[in-house]
Amino acid sequence: MKDKYDGPILEIDNLSISFFTRLREIPAVMDFSVKVMPGEAVGLVGESGCGKSTVALGVMQDLGVNGRIVGGTIRFKGRDLSEMSADELRRVRGSEIAMIYQEPMASLNPAMRVGKQLMEVPKIHRGVSDKEAYARALQVVTDVKLPDPERILQAYPHQLSGGQQQRIVIAMALMAEPSLLILDEPTTALDVTVEAAVVDLVKELGQKYGTSMLFISHNLGLVLETCDRICVMYSGEAVERGSIADVFDEMQHPYTQALFRSIPLPGADKAARPLRAIPGNFPLPHERPPGCNFGPRCDYFVEGLCDEREIPMFDVKGSDRHTTRCLRFEEIDWHAPLSGVEARDKTEPGKVILRMEELKKYYEVAANALFGRSGETRVVKANETLSFEARESETLAIVGESGCGKSTFAKVLMGLETATEGKIILDNREIQDTSIEDRGAKTVSEIQMVFQNPFDTLNPSMTVGAQIMRALEIFGIGDTVAERRERMLSLLDLVKLPREFADRMPRQLSGGQKQRVGIARAFAGDARIVVADEPVSALDVSVQAAVTDLLMEIQREHKTTLLFISHDLSIVRYLSDRVMVMYLGHVVELGTTEQVFAPPYHPYTEALLSAVPIADTRVAKEHIVLEGDVPSAMNPPPGCPFQTRCRWKSKVPGNLCETEVPPMRQMQDGHQVKCHLSEEEFRGMTPVIRIAAE
Amino acid sequence: MDPLSWAEIITRVLTQFLPVWVSIAIVFAVSITWKRKLGLYGKMFDSPIGMIGFALVLFWVFTGIFGAMDLIVTHDSLGQSAFMKNEVPGTPLRGGDESAYPYYLLGGDNLGRDVFSRMVDGAWVVVQIAPLATLFAFMVGITLGLPAGYFGGRLDTVLSFLANLILAFPVILLFYLLVTPEIVETGIPSYMATVLFVFPIVFLAVLLNSRYHTRPKLRTPLLVLVLGLTGWLYLSLISQAGTGVEVLPQALDLFDVPGGILVVFVAVVFVNSPTVFRIVRGLAMDIKTRDYVAAAQTRGEGRWYIMLWEILPNARGPLIVDFCLRIGYTTILLGTLGFFGLGLPPESPDWGTTINDGRRLLQIYLHPALVPAVALLSLVLGLNLLADGLREESLRD
């Protein structure tokens, strides 16, 4: 079956794919070409809606009823996929081309044991015996580094964690030893440290099996870590293609440059390297401009040249297969420093507004709601002894992975839950036991929240204006409808949205615009404390920068205290004054941004820093991969919460880590670390992220 | 006069329905012209299935309305003629007066009543009761389902248990019990009406209060007006001389619903609302996890505002589809009730009763039972197709 073939594994030539709706034809991919050589990993990068997933589906010949390839060819090992019969395609899929999707749970059959699902692959494609298939499954599961492979094979998918599920999906893809592996955002649904481990695995397996890979991602850092070559897509077209080094360091397309300028790097903060958002919006597929698609948002746009005709790909001289879709790439000075962005002064934090003292939140989980008294109740310790202060116009970042208790903390602060123990003091008032119904409109409007998912943050059946006006009504602002309307319009101005948006429905807005409305709503009652729960993580890179900047600008003007919940350390480094790292309900490290991002670290912070993919070729990172997953909050390990994954554990004498929760250690200048490690060990720590000298 | 041939019968029937055709044509023409601006309703006109269903439903709705306006019926649906017993379709009228329509278009039944006219009048019974009863069932289901889904916990357990209890009870037996004269005399159905019909008022009151409580100047007059009006309607509806519930003086009683109809109404609402309750509960449990609900909570909105203004409008898609389907079930329920002679008066031209009347001589004369059966079938089919079309179109874009 696996014949020797040494040409390109995948060769896509001038591919065009369109979707046909009842109104019109929507071109999703236009004139797209890419070549994947044996053993090569090619990254496909672009914002959502740029057509990168459509390319993958095109390769799999699985475009659904509405999609059709309208031009170009896709050759797999020299054979045109579109000329294959359904039968031949079935043989190729899963055996020669395998695909890994974003959501692991959706790729596994929930009613079938993992082992059986894995064994199906060789049984179908090669007709091997049960025994042989089992042996292979066992080996692959061992290869993807899952502990206790026999037990895993007997498990059902829901009994595994998200990271383990994704490893099973990878194992399944590798069962047939495919020549091409397509990974469509394989780690987006996972936590950072788990993501790092999975990416590591994919890289290693790619080398071991010699598999070619097409790696689809919106994360430039991930692509840098996993791929040899990169193809940047914008609005259905490939705009730049080349080796990682060429594209990252010698970019030749304005979009690629703008993309890099809009992402924060963990080596820099807002004063040193301000972000620059890409102006304007992503064009809708049926409203693409003439000529260069990026033209209207491009700094180097020349009228009469860039919008005249279709632009082909040009070869960049003196490089290896580096091409760009820009007419002016030879005229542009790519090394010109960034202009038009003024570095802003840091605002000085004012007086303390909010203080947490030994805050605890436990949940009791009963086995059964109606007859629960007989069963044992288990206690989930969602928050353990949280203590910190937040000052006026300060940004405090709360960092941690899912299940670390940051959302619970937000709930308690907002008053949706009341604290089990401890105090929350807002301007000398204790509010930990006052639920939101009992708080006055003023207190409620002072603490507001910006939510994570832009597609979920607005009520889909109410106009934007009505939603903001409702918030004003509830906060008791304005006496008449006209007054409130005026105030609502000025709030739209504040978040830089046109006033016409007041009468639009949320579905007519893009993700970034919705998030702006969410911000306007949070600031409707002049909030003094805003909890931003991953406000930009669901947005596209170019939009992230704009929304982040907006949030900071409003903060500066209103002297708001911003509690910024995030798992993205790059953005945390960029905008926060102080950082609090949480793990399984505990605060493990607290300090100013500089303190937290430099040694000495808490072992968990160190691993987090190492896990962040950084889109900068100059950065060298220390490689720390955490074993296993975050333990369940229902069943936390005894002693230090991090002891099950900590690589420093052996440096602590005795079994201190397993028996005792470490005390909060005061380092210098208010830097606190919850760890048993000795002073010498702390002093011996080296920085995780180093920028190579230029 | 000679009996009509089949071609003549069909032509005459079609002519008789002329106002219905005109109305359907107008509705379709208007809707298709503006379909892009009409939201989900407009989208339905992209689905042939949905359009066929909608046409069938419209046909019976207009037939019912125009029938009640005496535009379509050819004879009095209760008038008997000794000469016309069990006559086949197209038989000329004998012994009637000169001005009467000269034929029994679809024949006569065992008492010599015009089958065609009874069918048309039967549509009016359905059009009057089915949508309204379904609407009431929805109000009850929504008012109980939203808090059950939103709060969860013990409230949910208790309410769901009650709903399951009602659903587990055999429907036909329940109907028999509710309409048995002995039971009606005890006043149980009237008391049930008293309870069930409160729900729409509660629903409206909570709906408006939660939305406008921040603007008392608007809220108070609005509530007084709406509650006064619905309260009066409610009292007129439940107040019934001679039953257990007689609260309103005769002079203020706006209308009297025939006792049988009220019982039918209660029965239909009672058996339909648990299912609606479960659907709404499920939707509420899903939607309450959305961020916009959390946003409403964090700005201190009341619980009922969140349930009625944040959750309910976003559950409307599945509810609209279910509403169409449920009108169909209600129509079948009405047919069943009529068939067993429960609730509705024995002379009533509703389809269930007519089918039952025709059933006795089914082997000799098919038409008295067949005509209402086809009518019932086509209306329910139309509603199901309409629901299918709506569901399909609501998922596409």
Side-chain angles (χ1 to χ4, degrees), chain A residues 132-181:
Chain A
E132 216 175 306
Y134 184 80
R136 173 94 186 116
L138 201 62
Q139 194 221 323
V140 175
V141 172
T142 320
D143 277 354
V144 293
K145 295 183 184 159
L146 280 169
D148 201 357
E150 274 104 350
R151 190 185 58 82
I152 296 269
L153 288 181
Q154 286 303 310
Y156 284 100
H158 68 266
Q159 295 169 319
L160 307 176
S161 70
Q164 287 174 327
Q165 284 171 5
Q166 195 61 301
R167 279 166 198 260
I168 292 294
V169 174
I170 293 172
M172 194 182 292
L174 293 173
M175 280 300 279
E177 298 190 22
S179 346
L180 177 67
L181 192 56

Side-chain angles (χ1 to χ4, degrees), chain B residues 78 138 160 197 393:
Chain B
L78 300 180
F138 263 75
S160 298
F197 296 149
E393 290 305 314

Side-chain angles (χ1 to χ4, degrees), chain B residues 118-393:
Chain B
R118 286 181 71 76
M119 174 191 77
V120 172
D121 278 349
W124 180 231
V125 177
V126 170
V127 169
Q128 268 179 301
I129 299 179
L132 208 59
T134 315
L135 191 68
F136 273 67
F138 263 75
M139 296 266 197
V140 177
I142 289 170
T143 322
L144 294 176
L146 282 176
Y150 183 68
F151 296 120
R154 214 147 283 188
L155 176 75
D156 179 28
T157 319
V158 170
L159 286 177
S160 298
F161 181 75
L162 287 179
N164 286 336
L165 211 62
I166 298 172
L167 286 174
F169 206 82
V171 176
I172 299 292
L173 186 58
L174 196 71
F175 281 160
Y176 263 106
L177 284 177
L178 281 175
V179 298
T180 317
E182 290 79 15
I183 302 247
V184 173
E185 261 169 46
T186 63
I188 290 178
S190 305
Y191 293 132
M192 281 174 68
T194 318
V195 173
L196 288 177
F197 296 149
V198 166
F199 280 99
I201 301 181
V202 173
F203 180 82
L204 278 176
V206 177
L207 187 79
L208 294 173
N209 184 49
S210 62
R211 177 79 177 81
Y212 295 112
H213 72 94
T214 48
R215 284 145 70 178
K217 271 187 216 135
L218 175 65
R219 188 261 318 250
T220 316
L222 191 70
L223 269 187
V224 169
L225 186 74
V226 170
L227 287 189
L229 222 73
T230 49
W232 193 7
L233 284 176
Y234 167 74
L235 290 176
S236 309
L237 187 67
I238 58 157
S239 173
Q240 194 93 58
T243 61
V245 186
E246 197 178 344
V247 279
L248 211 58
Q250 211 57 46
L252 287 175
D253 206 339
L254 285 180
F255 50 84
D256 256 325
V257 183
I261 299 277
L262 190 68
V263 172
V264 168
F265 218 86
V266 169
V268 169
V269 172
F270 190 65
V271 300
N272 266 327
S273 42
T275 325
V276 179
F277 162 84
R278 281 168 42 148
I279 297 171
V280 174
R281 171 182 167 270
L283 289 167
M285 287 172 87
D286 173 27
I287 297 176
K288 76 170 173 186
T289 59
R290 304 290 166 86
D291 280 351
Y292 52 83
V293 173
Q297 287 169 336
T298 55
R299 66 168 184 264
E301 293 281 9
R303 298 152 170 197
W304 284 101
Y305 177 87
I306 295 176
M307 284 185 252
L308 292 172
W309 292 93
E310 302 278 344
I311 295 180
L312 187 60
N314 297 305
R316 66 178 185 274
L319 287 183
I320 289 170
V321 172
D322 187 70
F323 188 72
C324 290
L325 285 175
R326 203 150 293 282
I327 296 178
Y329 301 149
T330 311
T331 311
I332 293 176
L333 269 183
L334 284 177
T336 317
L337 286 174
F339 186 83
F340 288 119
L342 300 175
L344 299 159
E347 286 265 275
S348 153
D350 75 283
W351 295 336
T353 312
T354 348
I355 294 173
N356 190 34
D357 286 346
R359 172 181 66 106
R360 299 183 186 112
L361 295 170
L362 201 58
Q363 281 184 319
I364 320 167
Y365 304 108
L366 194 59
H367 63 271
L370 190 65
V371 170
V374 169
L376 183 65
L377 177 145
S378 60
L379 174 56
V380 177
L381 178 71
L383 285 162
N384 288 356
L385 292 181
L386 176 63
D388 265 359
L390 283 174
R391 175 162 40 210
E392 197 180 300
E393 290 305 314

Side-chain angles (χ1 to χ4, degrees), chain A residues 22 369 373 414 416 436 444 448 451 453 456-462 470 473-474 481 484 521, chain B residues 46 154 157 210-211 214-215 290-292 294-295 297-299 301 305 309-310 313-314 316 393 396:
Chain A
R22 58 181 131 188
R373 254 160 276 152
M414 307 296 304
L416 297 178
I436 193 151
V444 170
Q448 278 296 298
F451 293 87
N453 188 345
D456 229 23
T457 184
L458 300 180
N459 183 343
S461 29
M462 232 194 239
R470 177 69 195 177
E473 240 171 67
I474 281 291
V481 175
R484 280 192 282 265
R521 190 178 55 187
Chain B
D46 286 329
R154 214 147 283 188
T157 319
S210 62
R211 177 79 177 81
T214 48
R215 284 145 70 178
R290 304 290 166 86
D291 280 351
Y292 52 83
Q297 287 169 336
T298 55
R299 66 168 184 264
E301 293 281 9
Y305 177 87
W309 292 93
E310 302 278 344
N314 297 305
R316 66 178 185 274
E393 290 305 314
R396 276 172 48 177

Side-chain angles (χ1 to χ4, degrees), chain A residues 124-371:
Chain A
I124 289 169
H125 286 295
R126 275 180 292 160
V128 302
S129 69
D130 271 6
K131 219 176 131 207
E132 216 175 306
Y134 184 80
R136 173 94 186 116
L138 201 62
Q139 194 221 323
V140 175
V141 172
T142 320
D143 277 354
V144 293
K145 295 183 184 159
L146 280 169
D148 201 357
E150 274 104 350
R151 190 185 58 82
I152 296 269
L153 288 181
Q154 286 303 310
Y156 284 100
H158 68 266
Q159 295 169 319
L160 307 176
S161 70
Q164 287 174 327
Q165 284 171 5
Q166 195 61 301
R167 279 166 198 260
I168 292 294
V169 174
I170 293 172
M172 194 182 292
L174 293 173
M175 280 300 279
E177 298 190 22
S179 346
L180 177 67
L181 192 56
I182 302 175
L183 301 107
D184 191 354
E185 309 255 5
T187 56
T188 312
L190 305 175
D191 275 322
V192 207
T193 53
V194 182
E195 170 183 85
V198 168
V199 165
D200 223 46
L201 175 77
V202 166
K203 225 162 50 178
E204 197 186 305
L205 291 175
Q207 274 152 16
K208 181 172 171 186
Y209 288 92
T211 315
S212 307
M213 280 192 273
L214 192 61
F215 193 97
I216 298 171
S217 180
H218 65 276
N219 188 330
L220 284 165
L222 265 185
V223 170
L224 170 67
E225 283 181 12
T226 46
C227 300
D228 310 308
R229 301 182 61 77
I230 179 174
C231 172
V232 182
M233 285 186 80
Y234 180 78
S235 190
E237 293 176 328
V239 292
E240 186 165 2
R241 215 166 43 214
S243 68
I244 291 282
D246 282 345
V247 175
F248 275 64
D249 299 335
E250 300 288 328
M251 56 197 75
Q252 297 291 328
H253 193 279
Y255 174 65
T256 319
Q257 189 186 41
L259 205 56
F260 275 100
R261 286 183 173 170
S262 64
I263 52 173
L265 297 177
D269 68 10
K270 52 190 164 188
R273 183 181 176 280
L275 292 189
R276 188 165 182 286
I278 306 178
N281 276 316
F282 202 78
L284 292 172
H286 54 274
E287 289 169 1
R288 292 195 177 109
C292 179
N293 281 341
F294 189 59
R297 304 172 73 185
C298 182
D299 292 338
Y300 308 105
F301 182 71
V302 172
E303 220 178 286
L305 176 72
C306 296
D307 56 359
E308 272 302 289
R309 59 195 173 86
E310 293 292 300
I311 297 162
M313 291 293 262
F314 298 99
D315 286 325
V316 178
K317 284 177 199 80
S319 63
D320 170 36
R321 291 185 283 154
H322 187 183
T323 53
T324 173
R325 198 183 288 276
C326 182
L327 287 171
R328 305 187 58 223
F329 75 97
E330 278 166 329
E331 308 162 22
I332 297 170
D333 175 13
W334 295 103
H335 296 286
L338 192 54
S339 63
V341 180
E342 79 273 30
R344 297 183 193 94
D345 310 327
K346 277 202 166 174
T347 42
E348 272 313 303
K351 60 179 195 307
V352 174
I353 293 192
L354 180 74
R355 202 161 74 231
M356 300 267 170
E357 281 178 12
E358 305 280 310
L359 183 77
K360 285 184 188 169
K361 176 69 193 171
Y362 295 173
Y363 289 100
E364 275 188 17
V365 187
N368 183 311
L370 189 59
F371 309 105

Side-chain angles (χ1 to χ4, degrees), chain A residues 357-360 419-424 430 432-433:
Chain A
E357 281 178 12
E358 305 280 310
L359 183 77
K360 285 184 188 169
T420 313
E421 248 179 68
K423 286 179 186 165
I424 304 177
E430 290 188 17
Q432 71 275 9
D433 297 323

